[in-house]
């Protein structure tokens, strides 16, 4: 390093780079042994494989915790809604069996359309949401009919004719929204879409077949194991006394209520105008992880070194004098820009037709400085060096290029996803209600609620409002894939409530 206090030793793992994070532990162990043998020195390792391993472990733990918390939290809410354990367990049972059935089918379909590991966790959360929703509305409608004096069979028949049809329409709207992710052109999103479409389809099928059969079998026993205090808060038709009191006041002055709520939602949506997005990178990992401490030390000693741009040069013979001269010029001109350093290393494949040049970029890999350096490298440095050699081609990859190109692709595809989801939702609603007013009102209200959710997300995760409570430090940006992903989920689920 410039101060002579640090030395960077670069090496590359053998084997497939896509599985390096699964095979990096022996490397970490070897570094730890060297550190133990040299206590007077600080010997640490950081790189793509070790950072990926740390990131995967963190995400896996977070998703696992979310999965473990979601079921008991949902059960607690349902106990409060029904005041009876059996009635609360029926929605949980339907949701979990839908998730298990979808998981079995996914094991087959994923052979054709591969999925990311994230898809299974998202499938559980979405399956739990829609499975509980559908059962909840069915049970509530059946209770209302029983309270009107209908016997169990008649109440169930009315619920099937009303809530049952609504389940089908709302299920189609959720499937439509989640299906929009197929248009992103991203394999991870396609896997999530595949998993969620499956689980929602099975939840709808189960709600229209297994659920009424189970309710008919249970009859009045669905009210068994009552929770005394909670059950007393309900009226005979299962309606919440507290909610009925609130609703009475809202409906007494509907214009005022709608106006106040509308203004509040618009105000909450305003922070969206200042939303900043970036693809999550090394800087998003918890600062308590040892790998991040090492990363920060390396960044300070060798700016741009931890995540250099990888320039891949293809030519019939990369060892030819003309190519070698162009590579040397590439390194010189990159350094001369002030936005990059000279090449760290150049690697040539055994066939001699591909060379990879590692060029450190300014910034932390995902910020504006790194993106500007990437643009300079692609538009100025490469065209004037490698690009000027006949028969040679150069491509740029690496963390910065991946983040930039991923964000660009999402930005290009997002309008098509929005148009697809909104257009198909309009068709489904028109078919169900035969009313343009109802369809447009539902879509506009959903867009307003999505905007408010975006605004709240910006305040919480971009402006540091809840860093202490949530136990993390915001990077000042929103993950670039979140807005689009959040749109399809929120639009699909909130449309459920409009349909009902």
């Amino acid at each position: 390093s410039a101060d002579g206090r640090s030395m960077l030793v670069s090496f590359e793992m053998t084997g497939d780079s896509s599985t390096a994070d699964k095979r990096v532990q022996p490397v970490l162990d070897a570094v730890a042994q060297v550190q133990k043998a040299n206590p007077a020195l600080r010997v640490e390792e950081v790189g793509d494989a070790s950072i990926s391993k740390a990131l995967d472990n963190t995400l896996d733990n977070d998703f696992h915790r979310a999965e473990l918390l979601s079921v008991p939290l949902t059960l607690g809410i349902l106990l409060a809604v029904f005041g009876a354990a059996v009635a609360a367990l029926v929605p949980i049972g339907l949701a979990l069996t839908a998730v298990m059935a979808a998981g079995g089918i996914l094991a087959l379909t994923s052979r054709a359309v591969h999925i990311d590991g994230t898809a299974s966790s998202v499938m559980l959360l979405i399956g739990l949401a829609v499975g509980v929703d559908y059962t909840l509305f069915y049970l509530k409608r059946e209770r209302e009919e029983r309270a009107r004096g209908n016997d169990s069979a008649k109440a169930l028949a009315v619920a099937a004719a009303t809530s049952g049809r609504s389940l089908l329409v709302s299920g189609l709207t959720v499937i439509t929204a989640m299906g929009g992710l197929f248009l992103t052109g991203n394999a991870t999103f396609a896997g999530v879409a595949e998993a969620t479409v499956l689980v929602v389809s099975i939840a709808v099928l189960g709600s229209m077949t297994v659920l009424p059969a189970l309710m008919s079998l249970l009859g009045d026993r669905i009210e068994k194991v009552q929770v005394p205090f909670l059950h007393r808060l309900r009226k005979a038709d299962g309606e919440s006394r507290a909610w009925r009191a609130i609703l009475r006041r809202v409906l007494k002055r509907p214009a005022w209520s709608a106006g106040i709520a509308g203004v509040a939602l618009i105000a909450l949506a305003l922070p969206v105008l200042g939303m900043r997005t970036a693809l999550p990178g090394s800087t998003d990992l918890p600062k308590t992880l040892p790998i991040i401490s090492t990363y920060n030390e390396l960044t300070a000693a060798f700016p741009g070194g931890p995540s250099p741009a990888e320039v891949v040069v293809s030519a019939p013979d990369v060892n030819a004098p003309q190519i070698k001269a162009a590579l040397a010029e590439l390194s010189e001109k990159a350094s001369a820009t002030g936005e990059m350093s000279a090449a760290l290393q150049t690697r040539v494949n055994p066939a001699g037709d591909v060379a990879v040049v590692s060029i450190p970029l300014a910034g932390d890999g995902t910020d504006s400085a790194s993106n500007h350096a990437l643009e300079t490298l692609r538009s100025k440095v490469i065209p004037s060096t490698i690009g000027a050699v006949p028969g040679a081609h150069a491509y740029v990859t690496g963390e910065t290029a991946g983040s930039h190109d991923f964000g660009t692709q999402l930005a290009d595809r997002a309008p098509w996803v929005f148009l697809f989801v909104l257009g198909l939702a309009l068709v489904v609603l028109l078919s169900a209600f035969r009313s343009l007013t109802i369809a447009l009102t539902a879509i506009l209200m959903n867009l307003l609620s999505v905007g408010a959710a975006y605004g709240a997300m910006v305040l919480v995760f971009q402006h540091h409002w809840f860093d202490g409570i949530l136990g993390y430090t915001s990077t000042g940006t929103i993950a670039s894939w979140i807005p689009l992903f959040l749109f399809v989920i929120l639009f699909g689920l909130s449309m459920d409530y409009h349909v009902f």
Side-chain angles (χ1 to χ4, degrees), residues 487-499:
F487 167 75
V488 297
I489 290 182
L490 285 177
F491 194 86
L493 293 182
S494 59
M495 189 64 80
D496 266 3
Y497 310 129
H498 283 282
V499 170

Side-chain angles (χ1 to χ4, degrees), residues 319-335:
N319 292 311
Q322 191 177 11
I323 298 294
K324 283 190 172 183
L327 291 176
E329 188 181 8
L330 172 69
S331 179
E332 293 173 3
K333 286 193 173 183
S335 179

Side-chain angles (χ1 to χ4, degrees), residues 54-390:
L55 178 60
D56 288 345
N57 289 339
T58 301
L59 288 177
D60 287 346
N61 291 336
D62 288 347
F63 274 123
H64 184 60
R65 183 162 61 249
E67 292 168 0
L68 291 178
L69 286 174
S70 60
V71 174
L73 283 174
T74 304
L75 181 59
I77 292 170
L78 291 173
L79 285 173
V81 170
F82 291 114
V86 174
L89 287 171
V90 169
I92 294 288
L94 177 76
L96 292 181
T97 52
V99 170
M100 288 188 286
I105 297 177
L106 194 64
L108 299 176
T109 60
S110 62
R111 296 177 181 275
V113 181
H114 299 303
I115 64 167
D116 182 79
T118 307
S120 297
S121 296
V122 176
M123 182 177 71
L124 171 63
L125 300 178
I126 296 296
L128 198 60
V130 297
V132 167
D133 269 0
Y134 297 161
T135 311
L136 184 65
F137 284 114
Y138 220 113
L139 289 173
K140 293 286 284 184
R141 185 56 195 267
E142 193 267 349
R143 277 186 166 191
E144 290 174 357
E145 294 303 321
R146 290 298 301 274
R148 291 174 181 172
N150 290 320
D151 59 26
S152 179
K154 176 64 175 177
L156 195 56
V158 173
T162 52
S163 289
R165 180 173 180 271
S166 297
L167 289 177
L168 180 60
V169 176
S170 63
L172 287 175
T173 60
V174 177
I175 291 171
T176 296
M178 299 308 300
L181 290 177
F182 283 116
L183 300 181
T184 60
N186 181 271
T188 299
F189 277 168
V192 169
E194 180 185 356
T196 51
V197 166
L198 275 175
V199 76
V200 173
S201 301
I202 293 173
V204 170
L205 183 62
S207 299
M208 298 180 68
T209 55
V210 179
L211 178 59
L214 181 61
M215 290 172 62
S216 177
L217 183 66
L218 288 174
D220 292 334
R221 286 174 292 182
I222 202 169
E223 298 287 346
K224 292 289 186 180
V225 195
Q226 295 182 356
V227 182
F229 173 73
L230 293 176
H231 201 270
R232 284 198 298 270
L233 292 177
R234 327 235 86 67
K235 288 184 175 291
D237 60 357
E239 190 70 59
S240 164
R241 296 176 187 272
W243 178 244
R244 180 168 290 184
I246 295 172
L247 191 60
R248 189 185 305 117
R249 287 170 173 78
V250 169
L251 296 182
K252 189 176 181 179
R253 292 183 174 83
W256 276 97
S257 300
I260 292 172
V263 169
L265 288 172
I266 292 173
L268 195 55
L270 289 178
V272 172
L273 299 176
M275 181 187 290
R276 295 176 57 241
T277 61
L279 189 66
S282 307
T283 55
D284 291 273
L285 287 169
K287 302 298 184 273
T288 54
L289 291 179
I291 195 75
I292 295 304
S293 175
T294 305
Y295 179 88
N296 292 335
E297 289 285 335
L298 183 57
T299 302
F302 303 94
S307 53
E310 304 286 353
V311 181
V312 182
V313 179
S314 173
D317 181 11
V318 295
N319 292 311
Q322 191 177 11
I323 298 294
K324 283 190 172 183
L327 291 176
E329 188 181 8
L330 172 69
S331 179
E332 293 173 3
K333 286 193 173 183
S335 179
T337 63
E339 298 182 73
M340 292 160 263
S341 301
L344 283 177
Q345 60 179 336
T346 300
R347 308 183 301 279
V348 179
N349 71 331
D353 56 2
V354 175
V356 180
V357 184
S358 298
I359 298 179
L361 303 177
D364 63 13
T366 57
D367 61 7
S368 58
S370 296
N371 285 319
H372 192 274
L374 173 69
E375 179 62 25
T376 301
L377 177 64
R378 282 176 163 171
S379 63
K380 296 179 179 180
V381 177
I382 290 178
S384 65
T385 55
I386 298 296
V389 179

Side-chain angles (χ1 to χ4, degrees), residues 437-500:
T437 302
I438 290 177
L440 291 178
T441 300
I443 288 175
L444 289 175
M445 290 298 294
N446 276 343
L447 290 176
L448 184 59
S449 67
V450 169
Y454 278 0
M457 178 178 66
V458 170
L459 292 176
V460 172
F461 295 104
Q462 184 175 312
H463 293 316
H464 306 274
W465 279 28
F466 289 88
D467 283 16
I469 295 175
L470 297 177
Y472 87 116
T473 302
S474 171
T475 60
T477 60
I478 303 295
S480 55
W481 55 271
I482 284 287
L484 185 62
F485 183 66
L486 192 62
F487 167 75
V488 297
I489 290 182
L490 285 177
F491 194 86
L493 293 182
S494 59
M495 189 64 80
D496 266 3
Y497 310 129
H498 283 282
V499 170
F500 281 111

